[in-house]
Amino acid sequence: MVVVSNRLPVDYVGGEGAETQWKSSPGGLVTALEPVMRANDGAWVGWAGVADREFDPFEHDGISIVPVPLSADELEEYYEGFSNDTLWPLYHDVIAPPSFHREWWDAYVTVNRRFAEAAASVAADGAVVWVQDYQLQLVPRMLRESRPDLVIGFFNHIPFPAFGIYSQLPWRRQVVDGLLGADVIGFQRAADAGNFSRAVRRLYGYKTRGTIVEVPEEDGEVRHVVARHFPISIDAAAFEELARKPEVQERAREIRRSLGDPDIVMLGVDRLDYTKGIRHRMKAFGELLRDERLSVQQATLVQVASPSRERVETYRQLRDEIELTVGRLNGDYSTLGHPAITYLHHGYPRQEMAALYLAADVMLVTALRDGMNLVAKEYVASRYDDDGVLLLSEFTGASDELRQAILVNPHDIEGLKDAMVEAGSMPKRERARRMRALRKRVKENDVANWSATFLETLTGVGKIAPGVSGPLRSAVAKLAEVERLLVALDFDGTLAPIVDRPEDARATERARAAVERLAESDDTRIALVSGRALDSLKDVASPPVAALLSGSHGVELQLDSGGVTLDLRDGELTRLEQLIEIVEDAASAADGAWVERKPAGIALHTRRLGTSAGAALQRTARERVEEALPGLPTRGGKNVLEFAVRASDKGEAVTRLRQHSGADAVIYVGDDVTDEDAFATLESDDVGVKVGQGKSLAAYRLRGPDDVAELLEVLAELRDAAR
């Protein structure tokens, strides 16, 4: 596994050669990825933080560190210039005007290529490479061109703007193309992923369905790229552990005493950046003091503003403006022992931050635009006492999850003032109710869960928790509200456990009961979508009378008319006879292999053979068929190889079933490789659920048929409640 980010997870301390010293720079990303990287012989590629210096790769705390050099000129043009004076303001809705310089773009391309080459040089065959953030958006395409064997992920930690804003970028096509080199592109919010998909359609005309982008390749194949939201989080347990320390709690009491023991301590913690809305909250606080809705004896504002990008002119001007405001407000309203605003222009260690969070009655997060804003989650995680109020901008990614905060529009100064007063006067019982709900959300969706979810989508490998997860339950709750719903289900491995003899497969009792309950409603259609021949599916599934059926991967369809849609032409019938003869002859040479005849093809089952013997038999059969019948559609599944004389797949079947049923939304549940065709056709309001391990386009996962039954029961209950 290789992680590529602008900065390394270590900082250069000093020394030369063998005496070079480094120290860890702990952050949420490092905390989330360190265990995974140690377990997978990981390497981290990034800049060491020192211009015009080259360092050799080295080991640090069980991880290979691969420093990428940057010159002072490149730092100015690639990082301070294009990354932070072009992309940053553009991606944050042009709160400040972006600058467009061709020299900066050239430096951005050069540095991205250097990062890509460094990653390619250390990545093993088939390695997973996870590229981080907006400074390196060209790296995925560069990696794919030089190392097509790699599995490539990209995560964008900041917003992705609407097309009307993004289209201003002169190099808009190149950046989108760079991102499309990845297999999975992650965003903080669903809206960001939607903005990206719209940019793809406008700039390239590629087809998008829900979270899937269909990218045509030079060989004529279509590559499916997943572009969806994976909201990042924090190490919630670590913050709570800090906050519970007696010395941190004593420090929190000391902080309040030093501020004059006001009734209300309001806190802002931000990087000094124009996107954070620091000026807006100060303006609102100043007007509350002016109008005497608050007094300095009653309330004080503590603003921590850590230094940021001080060589960029926009940031220097912002600092001057904020410090001027602080001085004016303190001059107008402070009294001895009671400051209006305590302004701190430096960063603090996490222990001091935990004490500040405990000392604050109200946390002010008033960002004008923010990918996530982890400070909001840090505050919640630290409040083990179930106290405190979070006032949160609706323009942060955190607002999608932390709905029990007081949500505000920071541009609305009057509304912001009212919200600050409401937060300061909220009754204790209401504070506790809201904070408990916020803490539950942050603890369930911590940074480890974020990284695991992304990597599971990227690689198909990861632990699947039992039951129906909270996010899947929420998605199903939205589905339950639609007027007409199609519930499309694979059978083997989804409703029924996998068995050695296909004819012995039966749906679990719970799954059968839930399917029948759903099928009773006129506004909900059930469809079974299987690779089995339709006669075999009917025999083992005993489907409800009202169910729609698809067999042989969509070749056979049985709709409400009761008739089966299948009409092979003479040439197809001839090829089918040849195909059966070839595959049955190949299977006869291996004890334990068997063939399943289908109306438009044949399936070679190798489940009873060992892994290597099964793979060898499938390879032999594939070669013989290709020699005699070149170009025949072929698909692999779980210990099965299928040939067909008519091309079709489960995706086509789901599309036809949707049209036939007039469904407003679809939920599709399946466990096999062949179900990926169905997941690829799902639209933005649909839900795809992968059963079991394996790389998948589906956004959600379940462990097995028992959990599928639970999901269907939940859906049935929610559907009944919604009527």
Side-chain angles (χ1 to χ4, degrees):
M1 180 175 175
V2 179
V3 171
V4 188
S5 65
N6 180 63
R7 285 296 300 270
L8 289 169
V10 293
D11 292 325
Y12 172 67
V13 176
E16 299 287 341
E19 302 300 318
T20 304
Q21 296 180 5
W22 303 86
K23 68 174 182 179
S24 296
S25 51
L29 186 64
V30 181
T31 302
L33 296 182
E34 270 184 341
V36 184
M37 296 186 74
R38 286 197 196 96
N40 293 280
D41 191 22
W44 198 304
V45 176
W47 177 50
V50 183
D52 294 314
R53 284 287 302 273
E54 292 199 25
F55 299 97
D56 293 329
F58 61 94
E59 291 285 319
H60 182 86
D61 204 13
I63 299 173
S64 297
I65 301 295
V66 185
V68 176
L70 290 179
S71 69
D73 287 344
E74 287 169 339
L75 186 62
E76 181 180 344
E77 295 183 340
Y78 143 78
Y79 182 70
E80 293 172 353
F82 195 79
S83 294
N84 292 324
D85 208 9
T86 301
L87 293 177
W88 180 271
L90 187 76
Y91 281 30
H92 286 84
D93 292 353
V94 196
I95 294 167
S99 302
F100 302 113
H101 297 295
R102 286 169 289 181
E103 298 83 1
W104 292 0
W105 166 253
D106 292 340
Y108 187 79
V109 174
T110 298
V111 172
N112 270 246
R113 187 160 303 281
R114 189 176 305 147
F115 274 80
E117 289 170 352
S121 69
V122 297
D125 288 344
V128 174
V129 181
W130 192 359
V131 186
Q132 305 289 334
D133 224 359
Y134 65 103
Q135 301 97 341
L136 302 173
Q137 293 175 104
L138 306 182
V139 170
R141 173 61 68 186
M142 293 172 173
L143 277 174
R144 184 160 296 282
E145 290 172 351
S146 65
R147 292 288 305 276
D149 60 295
L150 297 175
V151 178
I152 304 167
F154 180 91
F155 187 78
N156 197 56
H157 291 257
I158 68 173
F160 194 91
F163 185 73
I165 293 174
Y166 179 74
S167 62
Q168 298 174 38
L169 184 67
W171 307 277
R172 58 197 184 184
R173 285 177 61 88
Q174 293 95 315
V175 169
V176 165
D177 182 60
L179 292 172
L180 288 174
D183 297 292
V184 177
I185 308 169
F187 298 91
Q188 299 281 27
R189 310 181 78 171
D192 297 328
N195 287 342
F196 175 76
S197 293
R198 280 186 285 277
V200 170
R201 292 196 299 271
R202 293 286 295 273
L203 295 172
Y204 282 96
Y206 295 164
K207 189 175 183 180
T208 65
R209 282 182 176 271
T211 61
I212 310 301
V213 180
E214 297 185 1
V215 181
E217 300 286 83
E218 291 182 358
D219 59 6
E221 294 295 313
V222 172
R223 185 167 58 88
H224 289 123
V225 175
V226 176
R228 70 177 179 89
H229 71 299
F230 300 84
I232 198 171
S233 194
I234 61 167
D235 185 354
F239 271 94
E240 178 171 340
E241 184 181 346
L242 266 180
R244 286 184 178 274
K245 289 185 175 181
E247 60 268 32
V248 172
Q249 295 170 24
E250 176 54 36
R251 175 60 183 148
R253 289 189 286 270
E254 183 183 322
I255 289 170
R256 292 189 70 96
R257 287 195 297 270
S258 70
L259 295 170
D261 278 324
D263 297 331
I264 307 165
V265 174
M266 296 189 177
L267 174 65
V269 176
D270 308 271
R271 215 167 33 78
L272 189 59
D273 193 290
Y274 48 79
T275 65
K276 302 299 183 180
I278 301 172
R279 290 173 291 195
H280 294 64
R281 83 180 61 136
M282 287 186 173
K283 181 177 179 61
F285 186 69
E287 290 188 9
L288 288 173
L289 295 176
R290 181 198 67 192
D291 300 339
E292 298 184 352
R293 296 178 67 184
L294 293 176
S295 69
V296 291
Q297 289 77 22
Q298 178 188 15
T300 189
L301 171 61
V302 177
Q303 177 61 57
V304 177
S306 56
S308 174
R309 301 168 187 165
E310 296 187 300
R311 291 171 55 177
V312 179
E313 180 60 28
T314 311
Y315 288 79
R316 289 199 293 265
Q317 293 174 0
L318 175 68
R319 178 179 179 180
D320 290 345
E321 184 180 339
I322 286 176
E323 292 180 353
L324 188 66
T325 302
V326 170
R328 181 173 55 79
L329 291 176
N330 277 336
D332 287 346
Y333 301 110
S334 293
T335 63
L336 290 174
H338 293 286
I341 299 178
T342 301
Y343 174 72
L344 307 162
H345 184 242
H346 44 85
Y348 287 100
R350 289 213 300 182
Q351 185 155 317
E352 182 73 358
M353 292 309 308
L356 277 166
Y357 292 145
L358 281 180
D361 302 290
V362 180
M363 184 78 219
L364 302 176
V365 179
T366 57
L368 309 180
R369 189 80 163 91
D370 217 333
M372 178 53 62
N373 195 288
L374 296 179
V375 164
K377 295 187 175 184
E378 290 175 3
Y379 178 71
V380 169
S382 301
R383 297 311 301 243
Y384 69 93
D385 56 356
D386 289 340
D387 205 353
V389 180
L390 175 62
L391 188 149
L392 182 60
S393 165
E394 62 193 49
F395 303 119
T396 63
S399 68
D400 290 349
E401 300 175 85
L402 306 182
R403 307 301 296 177
Q404 293 300 316
I406 297 178
L407 299 180
V408 297
N409 174 0
H411 298 283
D412 175 10
I413 300 299
E414 289 300 325
L416 181 55
K417 287 158 58 178
D418 291 343
M420 291 166 73
V421 171
E422 178 192 351
S425 60
M426 185 177 291
K428 183 174 178 56
R429 178 177 293 183
E430 177 67 6
R431 297 199 304 266
R433 183 190 69 79
R434 288 175 179 252
M435 188 56 71
R436 279 195 297 271
L438 292 171
R439 284 178 52 74
K440 183 175 185 292
R441 181 73 179 182
V442 170
K443 290 168 78 172
E444 287 177 351
N445 296 284
D446 64 1
V447 71
N449 182 67
W450 166 77
S451 63
T453 302
F454 185 94
L455 290 171
E456 182 182 280
T457 302
L458 184 60
T459 66
V461 177
K463 183 179 179 181
I464 305 173
V468 181
S469 68
L472 177 52
R473 196 175 289 266
S474 297
V476 169
K478 290 181 182 177
L479 272 187
E481 301 287 339
V482 304
E483 190 171 338
R484 293 190 62 78
L485 177 65
L486 174 63
V487 181
L489 308 163
D490 177 42
F491 183 74
D492 295 281
T494 300
L495 295 177
I498 295 290
V499 293
D500 285 339
R501 286 162 39 93
E503 60 269 27
D504 294 338
R506 295 292 183 274
T508 65
E509 287 301 321
R510 285 181 65 194
R512 181 189 299 277
V515 165
E516 290 176 349
R517 179 178 171 186
L518 285 164
E520 290 172 357
S521 306
D522 293 338
D523 57 6
T524 305
R525 297 305 307 268
I526 295 291
L528 299 186
V529 183
S530 176
R532 287 175 178 265
L534 210 51
D535 286 343
S536 172
L537 178 62
K538 292 177 183 177
D539 183 51
V540 297
S542 301
V545 175
L548 307 172
L549 304 177
S550 169
S552 303
H553 301 287
V555 174
E556 301 176 280
L557 282 176
Q558 181 170 310
L559 305 177
D560 291 314
S561 62
V564 177
T565 305
L566 177 65
D567 183 21
L568 294 181
R569 295 180 287 275
D570 290 343
E572 291 172 329
L573 290 168
T574 301
R575 286 197 296 277
L576 181 58
E577 291 175 6
Q578 291 178 266
L579 175 64
I580 291 171
E581 183 178 345
I582 295 167
V583 177
E584 287 188 339
D585 181 62
S588 66
D591 188 27
W594 81 96
V595 295
E596 176 189 0
R597 294 193 183 190
K598 298 185 176 184
I602 193 168
L604 171 62
H605 294 271
T606 59
R607 190 174 300 139
R608 296 174 189 162
L609 279 65
T611 303
S612 58
L617 177 58
Q618 288 191 17
R619 190 163 52 250
T620 298
R622 190 189 293 268
E623 289 171 354
R624 291 186 186 179
V625 170
E626 178 61 28
E627 182 180 353
L629 299 166
L632 210 64
T634 308
R635 63 166 61 86
K638 289 183 178 178
N639 299 304
V640 63
L641 180 64
E642 301 194 42
F643 304 91
V645 296
R646 174 174 293 179
S648 185
D649 59 46
K650 292 182 177 180
E652 292 182 23
V654 169
T655 298
R656 293 184 64 183
L657 291 166
R658 181 200 296 271
Q659 292 170 345
H660 175 79
S661 61
D664 299 303
V666 176
I667 179 170
Y668 186 90
V669 188
D671 76 309
D672 204 300
V673 176
T674 59
D675 295 304
E676 295 304 310
D677 294 318
F679 293 137
T681 68
L682 297 182
E683 298 175 357
S684 57
D685 292 333
D686 300 334
V687 172
V689 184
K690 165 77 172 178
V691 181
Q693 300 282 5
K695 190 174 178 181
S696 179
L697 299 175
Y700 304 96
R701 288 183 187 260
L702 294 171
R703 288 194 309 175
D706 287 341
D707 292 336
V708 173
E710 182 181 341
L711 172 68
L712 296 175
E713 289 168 350
V714 169
L715 177 58
E717 290 168 7
L718 291 170
R719 198 80 171 124
D720 288 345
R723 292 190 184 94

